[in-house]
């Protein structure tokens, strides 16, 4: 059976752990590989390699670091089909989604290619007699990233691309459910010219996470995952003196106004709610149509659209989405569907029980659609993270705006309307971190930053963009004086009232 390896100091390492995790093929339900679950001692080996490599890497000028990023981008594009197939067969995403996962990560790498400009500090000439003041951004040292299963290419590149370009060394702890692509990305970084030890990949579970959060030589941790673990990561990491940015769960809403382009809106929801089997923190699992007529039309059109969705194996080019990542996750989703029925929501389309001929043991689940969902239902409050769309009807825009604003999560929200004033007021008032106007998945472009509010994010810094550069660097301010002439005989003292 194929064995996944750690990647430490530029070398594949089998690991010495006695514990292993199974890697499934979601299309067949069969175990296809095993991944070692690192001990704290193995995590320390990666940190020591990073500590050894980081000072020289920080001394490489930003332009040369950028050239390695350019080369890495070219290599990933060259290996796009290979990476997408590897990702698809471990995660279950269809190949088109897998390539999108990789491409969105590459956009942050493209942003990191501009690191010489991004690291420029500030300068004040003649702040006082013969006095100049300037600031520089310097790397933190060794930093770490803990990434989830749902974007095994994009989110690691979000993190290590910025961190490494800034001059840090990086420890990546990817999800143990689909770890092959992160290792392959590290190999390509090495091929691009990155020195050994600057990027290390260590696999593991809670033991590895706790080792990262406790290690004195790791200065910052970036995390994406569930809200409970994000909160734990933030509290534990900051208690140990680290910078922490921890992105959590979501329950994104789409507000549908009576004047919305209904055909486009339904198409947007079909992709945003069910694409990648709903396993996205920026999925759109809640529709909030305003008014009975709007709701009735949306329901009728959505039911018709769902009947045309094709669920297939992840390598089927005609499939709209593939299986979910594990059998346990499939069971979690079906449990939530039953919970919705028990709570009194109207199940219009039931995705349970779906099987594919020849792939009966695969982790497939069809699209599900609930109507008349209420805000006090647990299925509404929780993140289901599957191909389930819930409809919560509202009578006014004010009522619709309250739903995402008062929800425990505040990651993303969208409004569908032709009314510019309504959209502007909604975007201004809604208590959510990322807003889309006729954009169902409002993930900002790489040169902006990604981050939600409330229980969707812990910490003060967002992912990527200039926020990412700030997170992975610290400011040093230099005040210098080169006295000449009369100034040479003057001593410099701190100004006083005298």
């Amino acid at each position: 059976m194929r064995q996944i390896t750690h990647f430490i100091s530029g070398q594949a390492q089998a690991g010495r752990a006695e514990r292993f995790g199974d890697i499934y093929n979601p299309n067949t339900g069969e175990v296809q590989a095993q991944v070692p679950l690192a001990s704290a001692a193995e995590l320390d080996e990666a940190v020591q390699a990073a500590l050894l490599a980081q000072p020289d890497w920080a001394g490489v000028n930003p332009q040369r670091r950028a050239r390695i990023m350019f080369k890495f981008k070219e290599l990933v594009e060259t290996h796009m089909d290979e990476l997408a197939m590897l990702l698809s067969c471990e995660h279950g995403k269809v190949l088109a989604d897998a390539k999108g996962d990789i491409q969105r990560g590459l956009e942050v790498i493209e942003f990191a290619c501009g690191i010489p400009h991004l690291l420029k500090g500030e300068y004040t000439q003649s702040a006082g007699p013969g006095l100049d003041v300037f600031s520089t951004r310097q790397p933190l040292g060794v930093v770490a990233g803990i990434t989830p299963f749902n974007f095994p290419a994009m989110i690691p590149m979000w993190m290590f691309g910025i961190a490494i370009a800034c001059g840090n060394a990086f420890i990546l702890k990817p999800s143990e459910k689909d770890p092959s692509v992160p290792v392959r990305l590290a190999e390509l970084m090495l091929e691009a010219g990155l020195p050994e030890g600057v990027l290390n990949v260590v696999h593991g579970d809670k033991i590895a996470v706790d080792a990262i959060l406790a290690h004195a030589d790791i200065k910052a941790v970036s995390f994406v995952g569930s809200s409970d673990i994000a909160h734990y990561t933030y509290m534990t990491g900051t208690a140990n003196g680290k910078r922490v940015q921890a992105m959590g769960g979501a329950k994104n809403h789409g507000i549908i106004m009576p004047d919305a382009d209904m055909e486009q809106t339904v198409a947007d929801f079909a992709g945003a709610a069910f694409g990648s089997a709903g396993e996205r923190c920026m999925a759109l699992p809640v529709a909030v149509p305003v008014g009975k007529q709007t709701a009735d039309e949306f329901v009728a059109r959505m039911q018709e659209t769902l009947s045309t969705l094709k669920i297939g194996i992840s390598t089927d080019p005609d499939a709209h989405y593939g299986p979910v990542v594990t059998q346990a996750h499939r069971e979690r989703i079906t449990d939530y569907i039953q919970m919705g029925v028990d709570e009194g929501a109207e199940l219009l389309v039931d995705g349970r029980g779906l099987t594919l001929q020849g792939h009966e043991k695969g982790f497939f689940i069809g699209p599900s659609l609930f109507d008349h969902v209420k805000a006090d239902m647990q299925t509404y409050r929780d993140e289901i993270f599957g191909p389930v769309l819930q409809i919560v009807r509202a009578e006014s825009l004010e009522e619709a705006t309250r739903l995402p604003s008062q929800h425990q999560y505040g990651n993303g929200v969208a409004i569908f309307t032709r009314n510019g004033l309504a959209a502007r007021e909604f975007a201004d008032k809604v208590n959510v971190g990322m807003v889309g106007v006729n954009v169902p998945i409002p993930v900002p472009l790489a040169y902006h930053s990604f981050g939600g509010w409330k229980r969707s994010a812990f910490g003060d810094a967002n992912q990527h963009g200039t926020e990412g550069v700030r997170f992975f660097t610290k400011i040093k301010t230099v005040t210098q004086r080169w006295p000449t002439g009369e100034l040479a005989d003057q001593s410099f003292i701190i100004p006083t009232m005298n």
Side-chain angles (χ1 to χ4, degrees):
M1 181 176 293
R2 184 166 63 96
Q3 298 292 318
I4 310 297
T5 60
H6 304 304
F7 188 83
I8 298 175
S9 196
Q11 302 291 327
Q13 294 194 15
R16 301 185 307 276
E18 297 180 355
R19 300 181 309 119
F20 292 85
D22 290 332
I23 308 299
Y24 291 91
N25 182 332
N27 299 296
T28 65
E30 298 173 346
V31 176
Q32 61 176 317
Q34 285 191 318
V35 59
L37 304 177
S39 64
E42 289 175 295
L43 184 278
D44 182 64
E45 286 185 27
V47 175
Q48 296 309 314
L51 284 169
L52 186 63
Q54 193 272 329
D56 286 345
W57 175 242
V60 174
N61 70 62
Q63 187 175 6
R64 291 185 180 277
R65 289 188 228 141
R67 287 172 185 165
I68 291 175
M69 291 295 167
F70 273 114
K71 181 62 177 176
F72 173 68
K73 173 182 178 293
E74 292 174 359
L75 287 170
V76 171
E77 290 171 339
T78 299
H79 292 269
M80 177 69 77
D81 290 341
E82 171 204 342
L83 290 165
M85 181 64 72
L86 193 59
L87 193 159
S88 181
C89 290
E90 284 189 354
H91 177 279
K93 290 184 183 185
V94 296
L95 288 170
D97 273 349
K99 289 182 178 181
D101 184 334
I102 298 164
Q103 182 58 43
R104 290 309 298 265
L106 276 183
E107 291 172 5
V108 175
I109 299 300
E110 291 171 346
F111 173 77
C113 289
I115 202 65
H117 173 74
L118 297 167
L119 289 180
K120 289 192 303 184
E122 298 174 328
Y123 187 93
T124 301
Q125 183 177 6
S126 299
L131 200 67
D132 302 326
V133 181
F134 66 91
S135 63
T136 62
R137 287 200 166 269
Q138 298 188 347
L140 301 178
V142 177
V143 297
I146 302 167
T147 59
F149 76 85
N150 59 321
F151 284 96
M154 180 186 78
I155 296 179
M157 284 192 277
W158 277 11
M159 294 179 185
F160 74 66
I162 300 293
I164 289 173
C166 288
N168 299 286
F170 197 87
I171 310 295
L172 174 62
K173 205 299 288 182
S175 170
E176 63 274 26
K177 295 182 176 68
D178 47 8
S180 293
V181 167
V183 173
R184 189 72 184 104
L185 292 174
E187 292 172 347
L188 293 176
M189 281 292 287
L190 189 70
E191 186 177 342
L194 190 71
E196 295 178 357
V198 175
L199 175 58
N200 305 276
V201 182
V202 178
H203 306 292
D205 52 9
K206 186 177 185 297
I207 289 176
V209 169
D210 285 343
I212 288 170
L213 297 177
H215 204 294
D217 289 316
I218 294 177
K219 302 304 180 184
V221 177
S222 182
F223 173 91
V224 176
S226 70
S227 286
D228 288 344
I229 306 303
H231 183 253
Y232 171 82
T233 298
Y234 178 75
M235 296 300 291
T236 307
T238 54
N240 286 321
K242 305 184 190 309
R243 283 189 188 180
V244 181
Q245 54 176 188
M247 306 298 157
K251 192 77 172 190
N252 305 323
H253 295 58
I255 313 303
I256 308 168
M257 296 297 289
D259 65 343
D261 181 334
M262 190 59 72
E263 181 177 355
Q264 183 63 54
T265 299
V266 170
D268 286 346
F269 266 94
F274 301 101
S276 198
E279 295 173 311
R280 299 186 288 209
C281 69
M282 289 301 288
L284 198 58
V286 179
V288 186
V290 176
K292 184 178 185 304
Q293 183 176 346
T294 306
D296 291 345
E297 182 181 359
F298 178 78
V299 167
R301 289 192 182 222
M302 184 56 68
Q303 284 182 281
E304 181 180 353
T305 297
L306 294 189
S307 68
T308 68
L309 290 186
K310 179 181 180 182
I311 295 84
I313 61 173
S314 59
T315 54
D316 182 352
D318 297 322
H320 291 97
Y321 71 84
V324 296
V325 67
T326 62
Q327 177 64 19
H329 190 56
R330 181 178 182 273
E331 291 173 356
R332 179 181 183 274
I333 296 166
T334 58
D335 288 346
Y336 267 111
I337 294 171
Q338 184 58 49
M339 183 190 298
V341 174
D342 295 341
E343 288 181 319
E346 184 180 358
L347 182 59
L348 302 177
V349 179
D350 189 349
R352 294 172 294 179
L354 175 71
T355 58
L356 295 185
Q357 186 175 359
H359 296 83
E360 287 80 6
K361 294 184 179 180
F363 310 141
F364 296 95
I365 184 168
S368 293
L369 178 66
F370 279 102
D371 194 7
H372 299 290
V373 175
K374 304 300 181 184
D376 60 353
M377 294 180 178
Q378 184 176 341
T379 51
Y380 168 76
R381 296 194 304 269
D382 292 353
E383 181 181 34
I384 298 174
F385 218 63
V388 180
L389 177 60
Q390 297 174 288
I391 299 173
V392 183
R393 297 179 177 226
E395 292 301 320
S396 66
L397 177 58
E398 290 73 21
E399 180 185 352
T401 304
R402 282 196 300 271
L403 287 165
S405 294
Q406 294 176 357
H407 201 279
Q408 65 170 326
Y409 297 119
N411 213 37
V413 70
I415 185 170
F416 300 88
T417 182
R418 291 185 174 94
N419 187 320
L421 179 59
R424 187 175 186 275
E425 291 183 352
F426 173 80
D428 181 58
K429 293 178 180 179
V430 69
N431 184 27
V432 174
M434 292 175 283
V435 182
V437 177
N438 298 313
V439 175
I441 303 179
V443 177
L445 295 175
Y447 43 87
H448 289 270
S449 65
F450 177 100
W453 291 356
K454 297 176 284 186
R455 278 182 54 80
S456 290
F458 301 90
D460 297 328
N462 285 352
Q463 296 273 352
H464 64 68
T466 54
E467 282 279 288
V469 174
R470 293 188 187 103
F471 179 75
F472 285 117
T473 57
K474 54 190 175 185
I475 292 179
K476 177 178 285 185
T477 304
V478 178
T479 303
Q480 66 179 12
R481 181 172 179 257
W482 301 105
T484 60
E486 294 180 359
L487 294 175
D489 297 328
Q490 296 180 10
S491 60
F492 178 74
I493 59 173
I494 298 299
T496 68
M497 289 300 292
N498 295 325

